[in-house]
Amino acid sequence: MKNAPDSTPMVIHVGREELVIKRRYEVTSIANDALIALWFITGSIMFFSEEWTTAGTWCFLIGSIELLIRPAIRLTRHLHLQRVHSRTLWSRSQAAPPTDGSQDY
């Protein structure tokens, strides 16, 4: 079950459970991206005033920390789906788990 480098990754549908898992992580990723944007916009606006520079710096720091959350969401999603696929494949056969898609959430 190896994929050629240019081929489409193999997707095994576990059914409704896989769809629910993917949607949860996608919604979490979208919410995280929206929060990142809000922190950076707020911080940028605060930098127009000398009085708000420190608060703006904190907004940038929080936004930067949220950027670290993004790969954590993707890794957690990948591991979760791999566990689901492993359980399903184990019950059917001893095949290797599929590779994750290149979706950015």
Side-chain angles (χ1 to χ4, degrees):
M1 290 192 176
K2 292 183 180 179
N3 294 328
D6 295 332
S7 69
T8 308
M10 179 183 70
V11 177
I12 296 175
H13 296 282
V14 181
R16 185 180 183 289
E17 186 176 357
E18 181 180 4
L19 185 59
V20 169
I21 291 168
K22 285 184 176 184
R23 285 190 178 170
R24 283 183 189 159
Y25 285 104
E26 183 177 15
V27 168
T28 303
S29 181
I30 290 168
N32 184 57
D33 288 351
L35 284 172
I36 291 169
L38 290 173
W39 287 119
F40 280 104
I41 290 169
T42 302
S44 297
I45 291 170
M46 289 179 172
F47 263 77
F48 286 122
S49 171
E50 291 280 332
E51 301 169 1
W52 289 94
T53 302
T54 301
T57 303
W58 279 104
C59 286
F60 284 132
L61 179 61
I62 294 168
S64 297
I65 291 169
E66 290 235 10
L67 284 172
L68 284 173
I69 293 171
R70 190 173 197 194
I73 292 169
R74 292 180 65 203
L75 178 62
T76 304
R77 173 186 165 266
H78 175 77
L79 294 174
H80 192 173
L81 287 173
Q82 190 173 21
R83 274 194 320 256
V84 169
H85 285 292
S86 294
R87 276 192 320 237
T88 304
L89 290 174
W90 181 260
S91 65
R92 290 183 191 167
S93 70
Q94 301 264 340
T99 58
D100 193 18
S102 61
Q103 297 163 326
D104 192 24
Y105 57 83

